Amino acid sequence: MYSLFRTEWLKLNRYPAFWLLLGICMITYPGINLIVLNIYHEVTQKESTTGQIVTMLLGNPFSFPEVWKTSAYLSSIFVFIPAVLVIMLITNEYNYKTSRQNIIDGWSRKDFMVAKAIDVLLITLIVTIMYAVVAFFMGMQNTTGEEYAIFDQIYYIALFSLHTFSQLSIAFLVGLLVRKAFLAMAIFLFYALIAEPIAVNLLKYKFKLEIGRYFPLEIADRMLPQPAFMNKLDEAKYQAALDAVSTHVWLTLALVALTWFINYRLYLKRDL
C-alpha cells in the first residue's frame, strides 16, 4: 500500500495541473465565502429598520457553529474544480500509456484501481482541509465571546468530505469511460452544471415529482442542505432538508460503493 501511495504522490507532485487546480480551489473556497459574508454585512449593518429586521431573522451564518454548515454548502459549489483534476489524472493514464506500463512493471489491475482510489482520497482530503480551514477562520472572525460553540456542527467536515469523494468518484468513472480528457470534462461539466440541475428542477416544479433527489450528483448534494439563513421564510422546508441528511448519507455511501465497483469491473474487462 505504501509503495502505491508513494508512486501516486510522485505522479501528482510532478504534475503542474495538480498544483494549478488546487491553487484555484485555494482562491475560490475563501472567495465565495467572503463574497456572501460581504453581502450579509452590507444588508445587516445598515442603520435602518430593515437592517435590524434582517439581522434578527438571519442571525449570523458565519459564526460558530453555523459557519460549518454555511461554508460547506458554499464551498461545495466548486466541487467541479477538483473533479476536473480527477478526470485529467485518469485520462492521462491512457494518453501517456502509464496504465499499461504499471501492469508491465508488475502491478495487478486491482493495484492500479487501489492507486487511483488513493488519488481521489488524497484530493478529497486536501480539499476538505481547505474547507475546514476556511470555515474555522471565518467562524473565529465572526463569532462573539458569548456565541462560541465550535464543535456543535463540526460533523459537517465529514459530510463535506463524503460529498466531495462521491462527486470525484463519479468524475473518475466518466474519465475512465471516455478516456479523452477534454471530452470527459465536457460531458461531466455539462451534466453536473446544466443537465442534472435542469432535470431535477423540471421534475420537481413542472411535474411535481421528487425523483430528482435520487440522481447521482443530487444524492450527495442533499447531504449539504442550504444553510439556515437561506430558508428562514420556509422553516418547514428547511427542517425537511435537515431530516433527509441521514438518508442521503446512506444513499451516498451506497452510490460510492457502486461507482467503484463499476470502475473496477470496467477496468478489469477493458483492454489496456
Side-chain angles (χ1 to χ4, degrees):
M1 182 67 73
Y2 174 75
S3 63
L4 296 179
F5 172 81
R6 184 174 180 274
T7 300
E8 292 306 304
W9 173 246
L10 287 174
K11 289 181 183 178
L12 290 174
N13 191 38
R14 298 172 182 175
Y15 187 40
F18 172 72
W19 298 107
L20 174 62
L21 291 172
L22 288 185
I24 294 174
C25 288
M26 291 179 69
I27 296 172
T28 54
Y29 281 25
I32 185 63
N33 283 271
L34 287 171
I35 288 171
V36 176
L37 176 63
N38 287 333
I39 294 173
Y40 168 80
H41 281 164
E42 286 182 7
V43 174
T44 58
Q45 291 180 357
K46 291 181 178 179
E47 295 182 0
S48 63
T49 303
T50 301
Q52 295 174 4
I53 293 174
V54 171
T55 302
M56 182 179 65
L57 286 175
L58 299 186
N60 188 345
F62 291 95
S63 66
F64 289 122
E66 190 68 22
V67 67
W68 296 114
K69 185 190 304 176
T70 303
S71 186
Y73 176 79
L74 295 175
S75 300
S76 69
I77 295 172
F78 293 99
V79 71
F80 66 88
I81 299 174
V84 166
L85 174 59
V86 167
I87 290 173
M88 293 174 69
L89 291 176
I90 183 57
T91 54
N92 281 347
E93 296 285 354
Y94 289 101
N95 293 337
Y96 299 112
K97 310 298 182 182
T98 49
S99 171
R100 180 183 300 175
Q101 188 60 48
N102 287 146
I103 301 301
I104 293 173
D105 291 342
W107 283 18
S108 66
R109 295 196 181 214
K110 179 181 177 181
D111 289 335
F112 178 81
M113 289 307 298
V114 170
K116 294 298 105 183
I118 289 173
D119 283 347
V120 179
L121 282 168
L122 183 58
I123 294 169
T124 299
L125 177 62
I126 294 172
V127 168
T128 301
I129 291 173
M130 289 182 187
Y131 145 69
V133 169
V134 169
F136 178 77
F137 280 102
M138 295 286 286
M140 292 295 291
Q141 292 294 318
N142 293 278
T143 305
T144 62
E146 296 82 18
E147 296 176 324
Y148 272 89
I150 295 177
F151 301 107
D152 281 6
Q153 296 184 25
I154 201 170
Y155 58 85
Y156 270 90
I157 295 177
L159 293 179
F160 181 87
S161 180
L162 179 58
H163 170 274
T164 302
F165 185 71
S166 174
Q167 306 265 347
L168 300 192
S169 298
I170 294 172
F172 182 92
L173 176 59
V174 174
L176 188 65
L177 281 168
V178 178
R179 298 202 217 186
K180 301 296 183 182
F182 289 109
L183 180 58
M185 284 187 283
I187 291 172
F188 178 82
L189 292 176
F190 174 77
Y191 179 79
L193 302 179
I194 300 175
E196 185 175 287
I198 289 176
V200 170
N201 286 285
L202 188 64
L203 288 168
K204 181 178 181 179
Y205 296 108
K206 178 69 174 179
F207 300 102
K208 309 302 180 183
L209 297 174
E210 290 289 343
I211 60 174
R213 70 177 64 185
Y214 302 114
F215 285 10
L217 301 181
E218 188 72 11
I219 287 175
D221 283 343
R222 298 211 175 201
M223 290 193 303
L224 303 176
Q226 291 181 339
F229 79 95
M230 300 177 70
N231 291 278
K232 281 294 184 180
L233 299 180
D234 195 341
E235 291 286 351
K237 178 182 176 182
Y238 176 59
Q239 188 58 49
L242 292 180
D243 293 340
V245 168
S246 59
T247 299
H248 282 274
V249 168
W250 290 108
L251 289 173
T252 301
L253 290 170
L255 179 62
V256 168
L258 177 62
T259 302
W260 282 99
F261 175 77
I262 295 173
N263 286 336
Y264 177 69
R265 296 297 298 178
L266 181 64
Y267 185 71
L268 195 66
K269 294 179 176 295
R270 174 174 281 178
D271 292 335
L272 298 177

